[in-house]
């Protein structure tokens, strides 16, 4: 493998920056756009989300398998990313460009088509990008550094995708915002593809046949437990992002223009805290550091319940930043350990299959998030922006604090059963 600037952690992290800016804008604002702004019923929005997750269950593992078996002079992963990038740009624009004058059923079908298209091409990029991490960085210390740099870039992307988005759609409309982010994605992804070269040794490792590849993956107990724990915590990421606009409106009662300040409080605080977690990971067994990050994340969402104004919301957001930083840094390192142990046992590197199946498990968080929104909405009478019910404040306090706390409690319990050995990740 060539080293230097071409495969440096910073160059690799460009891919994260490219993907996460539009992805964060999508996860944080597509529900707000369709339910609050366009008036789509919460039940129909939940159905659309569920259908596209079923589609995701079909395409994601197959994309990982095909990626592992791809062999071109440009590598296994990069050709897939290059082919999917322009389609991703188009799909993102379609999500936020629903035609005016659609009936509620027409709006539902537009959302469903846009979600399926968006998820298909996003899956191709995420699976292949994620598979590159354990291939390029196979030393524990280097992985810790690369993960910290990658998550630093991710936080910048989360900040842009969250805090800048309200400003953009206020100035340009949702359609104009989507075009701006799509163009930014294209520039950054092109730079990433020119800056990363794949590991030749990983490409030469013989792939397993389809049935054997999935049998070995599905029988890996630490892999399953690790990803189940992560899926509940990942749900919290999605809930926090998507509920912030509602929380700002109904709980803190601040105007849309101040949502940027609230979002910035979370993501700006995460940037220096990523460095703190990098130092923690360097000094601890990675699995223990991961468990600690889950515990910190659970505690950090509690103050959100007590928000009353912009500034109490900002203070709560800073608390969330510490837990979020830990959860961003630690999982990639543990995932790399699991893949390395599998390679030692099978003699086959299957980063694509593992990344795809992992992605499917953790993306079930989208369904958990949608169902939680639907159930809590029904309990408190929230249906849409046109009919928020008698107590929207409690609805969104519950969704942004109580529900996340319960979900992370499940993650913490499940994480205790992940056993990889204290020295498994050492170089």
């Amino acid at each position: 493998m060539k080293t230097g600037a071409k495969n440096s952690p910073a160059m690799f992290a460009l891919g994260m920056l490219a993907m996460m800016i539009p992805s964060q804008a999508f996860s944080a604002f597509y529900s707000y756009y369709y339910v609050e702004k366009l008036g789509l019923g919460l039940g129909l929005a939940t159905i659309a989300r569920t259908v596209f997750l079923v589609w995701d269950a079909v395409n994601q593992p197959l994309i990982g398998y095909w990626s592992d078996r791809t062999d071109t002079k440009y590598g296994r992963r990069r050709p897939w990313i290059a082919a999917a990038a322009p389609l991703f740009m188009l799909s993102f624009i379609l999500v936020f460009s629903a035609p005016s004058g659609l009936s509620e059923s027409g709006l539902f079908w537009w959302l469903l088509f846009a979600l399926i298209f968006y998820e298909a091409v996003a899956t191709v990029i995420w699976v292949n990008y994620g598979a590159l991490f354990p291939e390029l960085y196979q030393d524990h210390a280097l992985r810790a550094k690369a993960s910290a740099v990658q998550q630093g870039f991710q936080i910048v992307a989360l900040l842009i995708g969250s805090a800048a988005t309200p400003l953009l759609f206020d100035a340009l409309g949702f359609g104009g915002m989507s075009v701006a982010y799509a163009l930014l994605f294209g520039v950054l992804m092109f730079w990433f593809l020119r800056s990363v070269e794949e590991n030749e040794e990983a490409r030469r490792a013989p792939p397993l046949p389809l049935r054997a590849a999935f049998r070995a993956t599905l029988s890996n107990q630490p892999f399953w437990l690790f990803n189940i724990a992560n899926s509940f915590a990942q749900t919290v990421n999605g809930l926090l992002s998507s509920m912030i606009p509602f929380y700002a409106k109904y709980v803190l009662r601040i105007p849309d223009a101040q949502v940027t300040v609230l979002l910035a409080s979370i993501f700006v605080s995460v940037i220096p805290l990523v460095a703190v977690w990098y130092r923690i990971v360097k000094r601890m067994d990675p699995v223990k550091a991961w468990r600690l990050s889950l515990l910190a994340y659970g505690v950090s969402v509690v103050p959100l319940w007590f928000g009353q104004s912009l500034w109490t919301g900002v203070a709560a957001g800073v608390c969330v930043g510490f837990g979020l930083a830990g959860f961003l840094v630690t999982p990639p390192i543990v995932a790399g350990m699991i893949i390395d142990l599998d390679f030692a046992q099978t003699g086959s590197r299957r980063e694509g299959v593992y990344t795809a199946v992992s992605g499917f498990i953790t993306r079930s968080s989208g369904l958990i998030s949608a169902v939680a929104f639907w159930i809590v909405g029904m309990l408190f009478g929230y249906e849409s922006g046109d009919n928020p019910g008698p107590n929207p404040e409690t609805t969104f306090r519950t969704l942004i604090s109580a529900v996340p706390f319960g979900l992370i409690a499940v993650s913490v319990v499940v994480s205790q059963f992940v056993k990889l050995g204290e020295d498994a990740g050492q170089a």
Side-chain angles (χ1 to χ4, degrees):
M1 180 181 70
K2 293 184 179 182
T3 59
K6 198 164 188 69
N7 280 338
S8 70
M11 293 296 100
F12 179 74
L14 282 173
M16 177 64 76
L17 185 66
M19 275 299 294
M20 275 307 302
I21 293 173
S23 295
Q24 177 62 17
F26 167 80
S27 63
F29 292 101
Y30 94 88
S31 290
Y32 185 69
Y33 173 58
Y34 280 92
V35 175
E36 187 70 22
K37 294 296 186 181
L38 301 183
L40 180 65
L42 189 55
L44 288 176
T46 302
I47 291 171
R49 180 77 168 175
T50 303
V51 170
F52 105 84
L53 282 169
V54 172
W55 161 240
D56 191 37
V58 175
N59 70 40
Q60 189 153 180
L62 288 176
I63 288 170
Y65 174 74
W66 291 331
S67 175
D68 282 341
R69 299 184 71 84
T70 298
D71 187 11
T72 74
K73 65 179 181 179
Y74 301 107
R76 292 188 292 178
R77 320 298 183 187
R78 293 170 69 246
W80 284 92
I81 297 173
L87 295 176
F88 177 82
M89 296 168 68
L90 175 60
S91 70
F92 181 74
I93 293 170
L94 288 177
V95 168
F96 289 101
S97 301
S100 59
L102 289 177
S103 64
E104 187 172 39
S105 63
L107 192 60
F108 165 77
W109 287 109
W110 180 274
L111 172 61
L112 182 61
F113 168 78
L115 285 179
I116 290 173
F117 183 24
Y118 172 87
E119 185 62 25
V121 291
T123 294
V124 172
I125 297 175
W126 277 121
V127 166
N128 285 279
Y129 177 77
L132 284 171
F133 182 87
E135 288 183 7
L136 296 181
Y137 310 111
Q138 297 181 12
D139 170 82
H140 171 58
L142 185 56
R143 275 183 181 161
K145 178 180 179 181
S147 179
V149 173
Q150 183 188 49
Q151 302 316 320
F153 275 58
Q154 180 174 359
I155 297 308
V156 173
L158 290 172
L159 178 60
I160 296 171
S162 297
T165 301
L167 301 178
L168 280 175
F169 68 64
D170 185 56
L172 305 175
F174 280 91
M177 173 274 294
S178 67
V179 171
Y181 280 157
L183 293 174
L184 179 60
F185 162 84
V187 171
L188 292 173
M189 188 56 71
F190 177 76
W191 191 6
F192 160 78
L193 288 170
R194 290 181 57 86
S195 304
V196 171
E197 191 168 297
E198 295 191 36
N199 187 339
E200 291 291 335
E201 294 178 5
R203 286 174 57 192
R204 286 196 293 267
L208 291 176
L210 177 64
R211 183 175 297 179
F214 281 100
R215 184 188 301 119
T217 303
L218 298 178
S219 63
N220 189 325
Q221 185 182 49
F223 168 79
W224 275 96
L225 291 172
F226 168 71
N227 282 287
I228 289 170
N230 276 349
S231 70
F232 284 94
Q234 190 69 37
T235 301
V236 174
N237 287 5
L239 270 177
L240 291 177
S241 296
S242 61
M243 292 302 109
I244 283 288
F246 298 94
Y247 180 70
K249 178 177 180 178
Y250 292 112
V251 178
L252 305 183
R253 296 182 176 86
I254 59 177
D256 285 348
Q258 293 184 358
V259 174
T260 295
V261 178
L262 181 62
L263 289 164
S265 70
I266 298 175
F267 298 117
V268 170
S269 67
V270 170
I271 295 173
L273 292 171
V274 162
V276 173
W277 278 100
Y278 167 59
R279 293 182 179 275
I280 292 172
V281 173
K282 283 182 64 178
R283 290 163 172 77
M284 289 183 68
D285 168 62
V287 176
K288 290 182 178 179
W290 168 61
R291 291 182 187 137
L292 179 62
S293 74
L294 291 173
L295 184 62
Y297 202 8
V299 174
S300 73
V301 300
V302 173
L304 289 167
W305 180 273
F306 302 99
Q308 298 287 345
S309 64
L310 173 62
W311 298 113
T312 55
V314 166
V318 172
C319 292
V320 171
F322 181 73
L324 177 59
F327 181 65
L328 292 174
V329 171
T330 56
I333 303 170
V334 180
M337 292 171 62
I338 292 172
I339 291 172
D340 288 347
L341 289 172
D342 174 80
F343 175 61
Q345 293 169 0
T346 67
S348 174
R349 296 206 71 92
R350 293 176 296 115
E351 288 87 350
V353 170
Y354 269 107
T355 302
V357 176
S358 173
F360 166 66
I361 298 170
T362 56
R363 282 177 189 236
S364 66
S365 64
L367 179 58
I368 299 171
S369 177
V371 170
F373 193 0
W374 180 53
I375 291 174
V376 175
M378 284 197 305
L379 287 174
F380 294 102
Y382 179 90
E383 293 183 9
S384 69
D386 295 332
N387 185 15
N391 197 2
E393 178 180 343
T394 303
T395 300
F396 294 106
R397 284 191 193 276
T398 302
L399 283 167
I400 207 165
S401 182
V403 172
F405 181 83
L407 291 169
I408 297 178
V410 175
S411 295
V412 170
V413 172
V414 174
S415 73
Q416 303 306 308
F417 296 94
V418 177
K419 309 293 183 183
L420 295 178
E422 290 193 1
D423 60 349
Q426 302 300 318

